[in-house]
Amino acid sequence: MFFGAARVRGTAGEVRATDPRTGEDLEPAFGLGTREDVDRAARLARAAFRTYRATAPEARAAFLEDVAARIEAVAEPLVTRVRAETGIAEARVRGELARTLGQLRLFARVVRGGAFHGARLESRLPDRKPLPRPDLRQRKVPLGPVAVFGASNFPLAFSVAGGDTASALAAGCPVVVKAHSSHPGTSELVATAIADAVAAAGLPEGVFSMVFGSGREVGQALAAHPDVAAVGFTGSRSGGLALVETANARPVPIPVYAEMSSVNPVVLLPGALAERGAAIGEAFVASLTMGVGQLCTNPGLVFAVEGPGLAEFLDAAAAAVRASAAQPMLSATICSAYDSGVTALREHPRVEEVATGSGDEEIASAGVTHLFTTTAEAFLADEALREEVFGSTSLVVRAPDTAALTALVETLEGQLTATLHLTDEDTATARELLPVLEETAGRIVANGWPTGVDVGEAMVHGGPFPATSDGRSTSVGTLAIERFLRPVAYQDLPAALLPDPVADGNPLGIARQVDGELRTS
């Protein structure tokens, strides 16, 4: 574990990663932490906060870039370890590594750009009637130390140096990571790069710490610690809600930004099905099986109107499913939960199994693809059919007409994504559906697939509860930094005391809103 500059083996038992391809435990064993270890890490983070939040933009940006460079320097052993601990194919691991490095460098640009300060200035109006207006200036300041929880399905991009860590560090917040127990070796390699970058930059050592912990004791201790100001989490609904409950029960509650569960509905409109039903079916299965279905944007639910186009879609999708080979899932626990979800669908009296992929007895935690179908009537009658099955399984719901599509979407909980496949002739139906989809999801995809989340300025990776615990935020893209900031206004503060983002003369040279106009001077 990492406590600032100190590297310590935990004393509360051990954990080993397991290769999901073979079921074999991997060396070495990693020591687990305690509540006392959490206290040590959180106190270090609090001690570092005021110094770190005051770092110059260039210094903070250079630090983020150095983290990326140090991770990139250990790319080969890192890729090897990720594959061993997760079973993820090499091409996807390298893609996720590139995304992780890109996120760090993107947030370095965000820090240099300065827009995240949200600087607003209103000039004094002494002659305004009935009351004069004071000199008012506003900027955003960091919340404080952030607890980040590593995700099982993204050992790099949503883990130790993932998007939550990158955006929190960019905001000026020290980070304490609870590493995921499924990939401790990966976590140690990445944590070493961050800790070395902290030291090289001459930053306070508490800017970064990392602890291991099995079960929920360490995680709950982090969320409850008085020196932690916010939480970033990607994982199960039960885990996320437990953290929210703990954070809300504190004497001073804190925000928990938890990404939890989503079935990511796909709506196939009649024109699109008539024009390219078979092609949509093939592309759908490619999206469904990406990452063995263990992506948070996996298309686990399809709504479509009965007809020849839907029949073509199902035939093509079924053929693609049968041709799909089993792949290792991330862990035996995830595989067991997936198999239970598949069994529940298979045994449902009003659900029909359309196709099953091939198995592989040589893979210890094999994920086999499945496709099921049911009627709109059955779906509306049973809430259990709306639950997420985390893996490469999807349920196609056959609707009698386009009017039924809206009713189906309206039954859903909050989602990360919603997808529409349409042609010009479907525009009127899509226009009626769009407001419902906006109320349901954080991202609406047209004629594409939700898997594959671009990291940039306009992306939203969030959504209404329970897709996330706070649907006003995103965990991907530059807007993610907003989660770890809050606004502060300064009224008639002497010029000598004004912070640089709102100081006279604009010393940072950033874009600022001045008396309602955007200016850079």
Side-chain angles (χ1 to χ4, degrees):
M1 300 187 293
F2 290 70
F3 299 98
R7 306 181 187 197
V8 178
R9 181 177 176 81
T11 59
E14 294 182 339
V15 64
R16 282 181 172 83
T18 301
D19 189 330
R21 298 167 295 186
T22 64
E24 297 177 355
D25 287 341
L26 301 172
E27 296 295 338
F30 292 80
L32 298 171
T34 63
R35 288 180 175 270
E36 289 73 24
D37 293 324
V38 168
D39 181 65
R40 178 180 178 182
R43 287 178 180 273
L44 274 171
R46 176 56 65 179
F49 174 51
R50 287 182 181 170
T51 300
Y52 181 61
R53 63 166 284 192
T55 51
E58 179 56 36
R60 199 185 302 170
F63 162 59
L64 291 170
E65 289 172 336
D66 190 37
V67 172
R70 290 173 186 274
I71 295 172
E72 193 168 32
V74 296
E76 294 313 310
L78 185 57
V79 168
T80 299
R81 187 70 190 191
V82 171
R83 293 208 65 213
E85 293 186 330
T86 66
I88 297 174
E90 182 176 350
R92 191 197 139 192
V93 175
R94 292 190 181 277
E96 188 180 335
L97 175 59
R99 171 177 169 173
T100 304
L101 302 177
Q103 288 175 159
L104 288 160
R105 290 164 175 153
L106 173 64
F107 279 106
R109 293 197 295 273
V110 169
V111 171
R112 287 192 178 100
F116 75 97
H117 291 295
R120 300 181 176 212
L121 290 74
E122 288 188 303
S123 303
R124 181 181 288 105
L125 297 176
D127 298 326
R128 190 182 68 173
K129 304 296 182 183
L131 294 172
R133 184 174 76 187
D135 179 276
L136 286 170
R137 309 187 186 211
Q138 180 192 114
R139 69 156 174 164
K140 293 176 181 175
V141 300
L143 291 179
V146 174
V148 171
F149 288 71
S152 64
N153 59 339
F154 282 92
L156 297 173
F158 276 91
S159 289
V160 178
D164 288 343
T165 296
S167 54
L169 291 174
C173 299
V175 169
V176 179
V177 171
K178 179 185 179 292
H180 199 280
S181 297
S182 293
H183 30 80
T186 298
S187 300
E188 184 185 55
L189 283 167
V190 175
T192 299
I194 302 175
D196 288 350
V198 170
L203 296 170
E205 59 174 341
V207 165
F208 173 78
S209 293
M210 185 185 80
V211 296
F212 289 115
S214 62
R216 292 184 176 178
E217 181 180 3
V218 166
Q220 292 295 333
L222 258 179
H225 199 283
D227 287 331
V228 170
V231 173
F233 172 87
T234 298
S236 67
R237 186 187 302 196
S238 61
L241 292 181
L243 291 174
V244 170
E245 183 178 359
T246 297
N248 287 339
R250 294 169 41 139
V252 179
I254 60 171
V256 174
Y257 298 103
E259 180 196 320
M260 296 179 290
S261 59
S262 183
V263 294
N264 306 296
V266 176
V267 181
L268 308 179
L269 295 180
L273 282 173
E275 182 181 278
R276 55 183 191 276
I280 295 173
E282 293 176 4
F284 158 69
V285 175
S287 178
L288 176 67
T289 55
M290 185 180 295
V292 204
Q294 299 164 115
L295 305 182
C296 40
T297 54
N298 186 56
L301 190 60
V302 178
F303 297 141
V305 177
E306 291 271 24
L310 177 55
E312 291 179 6
F313 166 85
L314 286 171
D315 288 344
V321 166
R322 294 187 192 101
S324 67
Q327 298 294 327
M329 300 193 77
L330 291 163
S331 69
T333 300
I334 289 174
C335 186
S336 176
Y338 172 66
D339 289 342
S340 295
V342 169
T343 298
L345 286 172
R346 181 179 285 140
E347 294 178 351
H348 194 287
R350 302 186 70 180
V351 171
E352 175 188 352
E353 187 162 14
V354 177
T356 302
S358 60
D360 190 333
E361 294 183 357
E362 294 186 359
I363 299 175
S365 299
V368 178
T369 307
H370 298 271
L371 184 63
F372 296 91
T373 186
T374 190
T375 65
E377 181 185 14
F379 184 83
L380 292 170
D382 191 348
E383 291 184 5
L385 295 179
R386 303 165 209 169
E387 295 177 1
E388 179 184 28
V389 178
F390 190 63
S392 52
T393 284
S394 192
L395 175 66
V396 178
V397 181
R398 306 186 309 274
D401 50 43
T402 56
L405 295 175
T406 298
L408 289 169
V409 174
E410 286 180 332
T411 66
L412 298 180
E413 300 176 312
Q415 305 292 325
L416 292 172
T417 73
T419 298
L420 279 171
H421 279 267
L422 71 161
T423 62
D424 288 345
E425 70 180 74
D426 297 313
T427 299
T429 302
R431 185 175 290 114
E432 293 179 4
L433 274 169
L434 195 58
V436 182
L437 298 178
E438 289 172 341
E439 294 172 10
T440 303
R443 175 164 61 108
I444 299 169
V445 181
N447 292 330
W449 301 100
T451 43
V453 182
D454 190 71
V455 181
E457 300 285 347
M459 177 54 64
V460 171
H461 188 62
F465 183 88
T468 61
S469 56
D470 188 336
R472 298 167 296 177
S473 64
T474 175
S475 61
V476 175
T478 59
L479 192 64
I481 197 172
E482 297 278 350
R483 298 172 297 166
F484 307 122
L485 299 167
R486 65 176 180 84
V488 173
Y490 306 90
Q491 181 171 325
D492 290 331
L493 197 67
L497 296 177
L498 287 169
D500 282 350
V502 293
D504 294 338
N506 194 7
L508 296 182
I510 62 175
R512 309 192 300 183
Q513 183 175 302
V514 181
D515 294 329
E517 296 181 2
L518 193 63
R519 301 180 189 175
T520 55
S521 59

